[in-house]
């Protein structure tokens, strides 16, 4: 039996960083929304993903009242180390750019945003099924879905498709209206979360003959580490001892000891590059991983999702406050320059640091020369630093 219809101004699909930040920003400006999320609250609050917040992202969370725990528990870093065949070189972000990054798990950001939305009386429906957005080519978009075994229809003025790469909103747009750019990389990351104090104060990105490795962290008691692996590898082929051995080899530096401890989470992440153009169709606006994926080497996905929804929130607020739809019409054009700049940086970091299976030695030699240049030249180091910490949003020329 169909239940009474629900109504809101902006129907948001997905309670990841994009959907939750959008709902929060709209609420602060008096625009109503309902968030529909396929997973349970517990699941989205435990999903281990990103860890690096650009200064702009951290500043936005703080300025909009959801940064209190991040300020207390987040780790502010002022640089990273590039470690090449056992030699380390620090890229001092603060000295080169005056900015830093904050290490704070994506799931912590998600927890803080959910708590803030619910405390403010916001509606997030978890565990919804069979979400079908429709009628967004006209003035009365709808989202059909099932919740607790009942059919519902959410009527709204606009739909925000924030449902990630595997969501339904992008695919609901008529065939041919969007263009896709997609690349698969010939490697993947095996990531672990280990209950042990990090062996480093700042992140270490390592180039090694055996492949890339990354030492990150989540807290003074929790290390997050990655090794480059084959995209077809079975995680079972990577028992803990093999992972630690690769990490010791790839991250190794004389006099430096890698702390090892119980592995509490393990997973393989494929490396994908993906961009959708345009990012809108009628009254459907797509944001975050639903429209673009960057390989994780530049630590940008979450930050890019937040950058999109800032533009979208401003455009929706202009519609409701001033009856001005010009920013909505220009949403995609206003986002894409920043999306492509971010793609370029993530591609550059990825190409610089990974071993390519078909390399006959030429690519590795170029990578080593480039890494040498980045560590010798202040200009080259600044290029890395200013992209990593995240510039102001790149706007159309
Ligand atoms: P999300 O986080 O995927 O959220 C989408 C939400 O939509 C829900 N959903 C649906 N809901 C209703 N109906 C449906 N049909 C639905 N289909 C899906 C999903 O359950 C989910 O809750 O996308 P969003 O919000 O765009 O956020 C993007 C980020 O999650 C992503 O870009 C980052 O995690 C990428 N990333 C990193 N980004 C950074 O900025 N810094 C990093 O250090 C960083 N490290 C990483 C990363 C991603 C990684 N993995 C696992 C892909 C490290 C890794 C290993
Ligand atoms: C992480 O902490 O999970 C992390 C850090 C840096 C990256 C990617 C992931 O480039």
């Amino acid at each position: 039996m169909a239940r009474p219809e629900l109504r809101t101004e902006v129907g948001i699909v997905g309670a990841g960083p994009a959907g939750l930040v959008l709902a929060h920003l709209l609420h602060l400006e008096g625009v109503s929304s309902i968030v529909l999320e396929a997973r349970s609250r517990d699941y989205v609050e435990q999903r281990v993903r990103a860890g690096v917040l650009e200064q702009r992202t951290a500043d936005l969370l703080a300025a909009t009242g959801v940064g209190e725990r991040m300020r207390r528990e987040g780790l502010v870093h002022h640089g990273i180390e590039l470690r090449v065949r056992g030699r380390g070189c620090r890229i001092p972000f603060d000295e080169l750019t005056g900015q830093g990054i904050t290490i704070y798990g994506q799931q912590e950001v998600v927890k803080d945003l959910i708590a803030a939305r619910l405390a403010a009386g916001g509606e997030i429906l978890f565990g919804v099924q069979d979400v079908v957005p429709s009628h967004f080519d006209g003035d009365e978009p709808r989202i059909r879905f099932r919740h607790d075994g009942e059919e519902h229809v959410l009527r709204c003025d606009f739909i925000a498709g924030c449902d990630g790469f595997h969501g339904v909103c992008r695919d609901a747009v008529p065939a041919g209206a969007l263009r896709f750019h997609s690349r698969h990389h010939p490697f993947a990351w095996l990531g672990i979360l280990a209950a042990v104090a990090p062996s480093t104060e700042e992140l270490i990105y390592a180039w090694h003959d055996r492949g890339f490795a990354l030492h990150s962290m989540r807290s003074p008691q929790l290390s997050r580490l990655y090794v480059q692996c084959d995209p077809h590898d079975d995680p079972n082929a990577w028992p803990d001892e093999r992972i630690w051995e690769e990490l010791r080899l790839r991250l190794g530096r004389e006099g430096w000891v890698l702390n090892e401890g119980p592995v509490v989470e393990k997973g393989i992440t494929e490396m994908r590059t993906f961009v959708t153009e345009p990012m809108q169709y009628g009254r459907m606006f797509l944001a975050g991983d639903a429209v673009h994926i960057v390989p994780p080497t530049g630590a940008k996905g979450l930050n890019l999702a937040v950058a999109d929804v800032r533009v979208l929130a401003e455009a929706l607020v202009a519609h409701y406050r001033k009856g001005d739809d010009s920013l909505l019409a220009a949403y995609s054009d206003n986002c894409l320059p920043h999306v492509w700049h971010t793609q370029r940086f993530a591609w550059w970091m990825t190409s610089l640091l990974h071993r390519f299976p078909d390399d006959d030695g030429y690519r590795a030699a170029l990578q080593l020369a480039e890494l040498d240049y980045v560590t010798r030249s202040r200009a080259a180091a600044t290029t890395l630093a200013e992209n990593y910490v995240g510039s102001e949003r790149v706007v159309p020329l």
Side-chain angles (χ1 to χ4, degrees):
M1 199 187 65
R3 293 264 314 256
E5 283 179 358
L6 296 163
R7 160 92 211 153
T8 191
E9 289 173 319
V10 184
I12 301 177
V13 186
L20 291 168
V21 170
L22 179 63
H24 177 61
L25 295 179
L26 291 177
H27 163 71
L28 295 178
E29 297 289 343
V31 178
S32 68
S33 69
I34 295 180
V35 180
L36 306 177
E37 166 58 48
R39 304 285 192 163
S40 67
R41 178 174 177 182
D42 199 45
Y43 184 92
V44 297
E45 290 188 344
Q46 301 304 325
R47 189 166 40 193
V48 179
R49 279 197 169 172
V52 176
L53 306 183
E54 291 177 353
Q55 182 141 346
R56 239 182 122 237
T57 306
D59 288 349
L60 176 79
L61 297 175
T64 59
V66 284
E68 198 192 312
R69 198 163 63 91
M70 174 191 72
R71 274 222 192 99
R72 257 195 342 263
E73 297 176 16
L75 310 167
V76 175
H77 285 189
H78 299 288
I80 55 168
E81 183 181 327
L82 296 177
R83 200 171 275 189
V84 182
R85 284 178 164 159
R87 269 191 43 237
C89 171
R90 179 167 187 265
I91 307 290
F93 294 158
D94 47 355
E95 191 188 314
L96 297 170
T97 70
Q99 298 193 53
I101 52 168
T102 301
I103 309 299
Y104 190 61
Q106 177 168 326
Q107 73 271 36
E108 306 306 326
V109 175
V110 162
K111 273 182 211 160
D112 296 344
L113 287 162
I114 290 175
R117 277 312 293 127
L118 297 180
E123 266 194 273
I124 307 172
L125 302 182
F126 292 99
V128 302
Q129 293 173 308
D130 303 334
V131 172
V132 182
S134 66
H135 296 78
F136 47 83
D137 49 352
D139 289 344
E140 295 185 349
R142 289 165 218 177
I143 311 176
R144 270 203 331 270
F145 62 98
R146 279 197 307 123
H147 190 231
D148 290 338
E150 294 193 64
E151 302 280 340
H152 298 263
V153 176
L154 171 61
R155 285 183 183 266
C156 48
D157 302 330
F158 301 98
I159 300 176
C162 301
D163 48 349
F165 183 70
H166 300 288
V168 293
C169 289
R170 187 181 66 243
D171 289 346
V173 173
L178 306 178
R179 233 157 39 96
F180 307 112
H181 307 272
S182 175
R183 294 279 181 282
H184 268 89
H185 301 278
F187 32 73
W189 282 13
L190 174 91
I192 60 165
L193 201 59
V196 63
S199 323
T200 171
E201 283 191 7
E202 296 179 333
L203 270 60
I204 305 170
Y205 285 80
W207 188 101
H208 194 276
D209 297 280
R210 299 179 68 87
F212 171 72
L214 169 62
H215 192 322
S216 181
M217 62 217 59
R218 286 293 177 274
S219 73
Q221 300 83 32
L222 214 48
S223 298
R224 178 78 169 145
L225 299 124
Y226 298 95
V227 283
Q228 173 183 349
C229 67
D230 187 278
H232 307 295
D233 274 359
D234 177 349
N236 294 323
W238 284 90
D240 295 358
E241 186 37 47
R242 180 176 175 208
I243 301 173
W244 288 115
E245 192 189 342
E246 282 301 323
L247 286 166
R248 276 195 302 270
L249 287 168
R250 298 184 195 186
L251 290 165
R253 195 179 87 180
E254 216 175 292
W256 182 82
V257 178
L258 176 67
N259 300 334
E260 297 175 27
V263 173
V264 292
E265 216 255 4
K266 184 190 329 184
I268 291 187
T269 305
E270 58 179 325
M271 304 279 267
R272 186 182 273 124
T273 290
F274 178 71
V275 181
T276 307
E277 293 181 307
M279 294 163 57
Q280 64 194 89
Y281 181 84
R283 286 177 170 245
M284 166 77 84
F285 295 86
L286 300 159
D289 277 16
V291 258
H292 40 64
I293 300 279
V294 281
T297 331
K300 290 293 173 202
L302 182 160
N303 296 292
L304 193 51
V306 172
D308 288 349
V309 296
R310 286 175 90 146
V311 179
L312 183 53
E314 196 186 332
L316 289 164
V317 169
H319 167 86
Y320 286 106
R321 283 267 172 87
K322 304 188 231 156
D324 176 359
D325 285 354
S326 59
L327 289 179
L328 278 175
Y331 166 67
S332 180
D333 288 344
N334 283 339
C335 286
L336 280 166
H338 191 72
V339 168
W340 281 110
H341 270 250
T342 308
Q343 283 286 341
R344 186 204 63 79
F345 176 65
W347 163 84
W348 179 76
M349 285 285 279
T350 303
S351 322
L352 178 65
L353 289 163
H354 292 80
R355 293 307 313 270
F356 284 71
D358 62 353
D359 183 21
D360 60 2
Y362 177 77
R363 186 188 278 270
L366 283 184
Q367 288 172 326
L368 290 169
E370 179 131 22
L371 282 160
D372 188 59
Y373 178 53
V374 167
T375 55
R376 271 177 210 271
S377 153
R378 190 179 170 90
T382 306
T383 297
L384 191 162
E386 70 185 14
N387 280 278
Y388 197 98
V389 299
S391 54
E392 281 304 297
R393 185 170 64 81
V394 178
V395 295
L397 286 175

